[in-house]
Amino acid sequence: GAGVSQSPSNKVTEKGKDVELRCDPISGHTALYWYRQSLGQGLEFLIYFQGNSAPDKSGLPSDRFSAERTGGSVSTLTIQRTQQEDSAVYLCASSLLSDLEVFGPGTRLTVL
Amino acid sequence: SQQGEEDPQALSIQEGENATMNCSYKTSINNLQWYRQNSGRGLVHLILIRSNEREKHSGRLRVTLDTSKKSSSLLITASRAADTASYFCALRIVGAGSYQLTFGKGTKLSVIP
């Protein structure tokens, strides 16, 4: 596609439920990133995928968070047993060879 | 903290005036980037400046980088109402994990028509 797409654009869930957020990167981009932005804050790095290498998960805040990237393309970020502090905008970005990231529009997650 | 810190946190100006935002940091960087964010959603890349560069221009945007002072500035000239947004500096830090960007908390710019 022409840009990075994310779905859903908005997600409202109840505390304790699991959620899945999807990212479709730009075709051919080898690197994919997930960031989280809490209200009024900058972006916080979560996870990084590069080609077939093992992902860097060092930014994931807890073991309730996981992500996978299938076939080197689409990525899914899963949050299990959501908590209110998980409420944030989750942004995905992709790039070619870890150079210039192109960001998606984000998914706004609200945990009630 | 390794993240950039933008200054001021908020800025309100009249249309046509210039807007200057600053970013300070504490570590060594490969490059520094400025992004714009409208309504708390997707980020738009504005300019990338490398550590060996001192100034870059793009349209009404001018970015400077002073690695000795570990600071950068973003100047928007002849501002327009459409420039109203949050602006973030993002650092590409030298060393392990240098593929990730480290963001500041941003400057919220309001341009009054």
Side-chain angles (χ1 to χ4, degrees):
Chain A
V4 178
S5 60
Q6 293 186 244
S7 60
S9 57
N10 287 283
K11 177 72 176 179
V12 180
T13 189
E14 294 179 347
K15 178 181 173 181
K17 301 278 189 182
D18 298 351
V19 296
E20 284 190 353
L21 312 179
R22 177 186 168 106
C23 173
D24 284 85
I26 292 174
S27 178
H29 277 192
T30 55
L32 187 146
Y33 313 75
W34 284 97
Y35 289 84
R36 176 172 73 172
Q37 185 179 29
S38 301
L39 186 63
Q41 302 294 311
L43 275 70
E44 171 193 13
F45 167 78
L46 296 178
I47 189 169
Y48 164 73
F49 296 89
Q50 174 59 274
N52 295 322
S53 302
D56 179 349
K57 305 179 181 180
S58 61
L60 295 178
S62 78
D63 58 8
R64 295 186 294 104
F65 288 71
S66 62
E68 62 177 23
R69 188 179 185 191
T70 54
S73 180
V74 172
S75 178
T76 302
L77 177 69
T78 301
I79 309 174
Q80 295 178 310
R81 304 180 303 282
T82 53
Q83 303 295 311
Q84 288 183 330
E85 61 262 29
D86 299 334
S87 295
V89 176
Y90 289 81
L91 289 149
C92 175
S94 70
S95 69
L96 190 61
L97 301 177
S98 299
D99 192 355
L100 194 58
E101 288 88 337
V102 178
F103 281 83
T107 292
R108 186 180 298 278
L109 175 66
T110 303
V111 182
L112 301 177
Chain B
S1 168
Q2 292 183 323
Q3 70 182 40
E5 294 185 7
E6 287 93 341
D7 168 57
Q9 292 184 349
L11 179 62
S12 184
I13 60 174
Q14 295 288 329
E15 200 166 29
E17 293 180 338
N18 295 341
T20 299
M21 288 159 271
N22 302 295
C23 173
S24 59
Y25 56 94
K26 296 182 179 179
T27 188
S28 295
I29 61 171
N30 287 314
N31 62 60
L32 184 149
Q33 304 182 41
W34 285 92
Y35 285 84
R36 184 182 73 214
Q37 185 178 44
N38 292 84
S39 305
R41 298 308 293 265
L43 289 164
V44 175
H45 183 266
L46 298 177
I47 287 185
L48 180 153
I49 187 165
R50 303 189 188 282
S51 60
N52 61 351
E53 297 176 314
R54 292 296 168 259
E55 186 171 314
K56 288 191 84 170
H57 297 257
S58 177
R60 295 183 295 113
L61 305 180
R62 172 179 168 248
V63 167
T64 62
L65 178 64
D66 187 333
T67 52
S68 66
K69 295 181 179 178
K70 289 186 164 52
S71 68
S72 175
S73 67
L74 170 66
L75 169 68
I76 304 175
T77 60
S79 64
R80 304 167 181 168
D83 295 329
T84 295
S86 291
Y87 292 82
F88 294 88
C89 67
L91 314 175
R92 186 88 67 192
I93 295 172
V94 173
S98 60
Y99 43 78
Q100 64 178 269
L101 290 172
T102 302
F103 285 82
K105 294 184 178 181
T107 293
K108 191 169 184 178
L109 174 65
S110 298
V111 181
I112 303 167

